[in-house]
Amino acid sequence: MAETDFDRIRKQVRQFVVERDWDQFHTPKNLSMALIVEAAEMVEHFQWMSEEQSCSLSPEKLAEVELELADIQIYLISLAEKLQLDLIAAVDKKLVLNARKYPAEQVRGSSKKYTEYKNRS
């Protein structure tokens, strides 16, 4: 089976951690805290922007957001690895669950939470 880009990145993240002897610090608690810090740093780039501004970032701002997203992905991969979870399988499972919660024909064009829809089957 050919190695996917995700597999390659996961191995690179693991090697990066091993080379620095950081696994001792990478507990689920610490990784989840680092993940939320990085997510907050990403959100900070959009703070006080209008909806329109947030959709048309300058190339410089877009590059900064890109790096924050990379940090988020790195910590997410590390946390999944630490907990021995398959992120790809988890996403597949979650998309199936979300499809049941949010049937396209019922929710199209709406941002309501699934608990707000009537006539749920």
Side-chain angles (χ1 to χ4, degrees), residues 64-77:
E64 292 172 7
V65 169
E66 178 182 46
L67 292 177
E68 296 300 349
L69 287 172
D71 283 338
I72 291 165
Q73 182 73 350
I74 288 166
Y75 280 122
L76 187 60
I77 289 169

Side-chain angles (χ1 to χ4, degrees), residues 9-89:
I9 291 168
R10 192 175 67 223
K11 287 177 184 175
Q12 286 178 306
V13 168
R14 183 74 193 128
Q15 185 62 34
F16 185 89
V17 170
V18 166
E19 287 173 355
R20 287 154 184 82
D21 191 25
W22 285 352
D23 196 54
Q24 61 184 313
F25 309 116
H26 283 197
T27 64
K29 177 193 78 68
N30 288 346
L31 290 168
S32 63
M33 292 171 74
L35 177 61
I36 199 65
V37 168
E38 293 301 336
E41 288 178 8
M42 195 256 324
V43 169
E44 189 174 25
H45 289 283
F46 297 98
Q47 189 174 18
W48 313 120
M49 285 186 178
S50 68
E51 294 293 325
E52 184 178 309
Q53 290 169 324
S54 74
C55 293
S56 56
L57 300 177
S58 69
E60 297 80 19
K61 181 63 78 174
L62 194 58
E64 292 172 7
V65 169
E66 178 182 46
L67 292 177
E68 296 300 349
L69 287 172
D71 283 338
I72 291 165
Q73 182 73 350
I74 288 166
Y75 280 122
L76 187 60
I77 289 169
S78 295
L79 179 58
E81 288 291 303
K82 183 57 72 170
L83 294 172
Q84 298 179 353
L85 296 173
D86 180 338
L87 271 179
I88 302 301

Side-chain angles (χ1 to χ4, degrees), residues 90-109:
V91 169
D92 287 340
K93 183 192 307 185
K94 186 62 175 178
L95 286 172
V96 168
L97 293 171
N98 283 349
R100 287 187 202 134
K101 284 177 159 177
Y102 298 99
E105 64 280 354
Q106 188 175 2
V107 305
R108 186 169 286 108

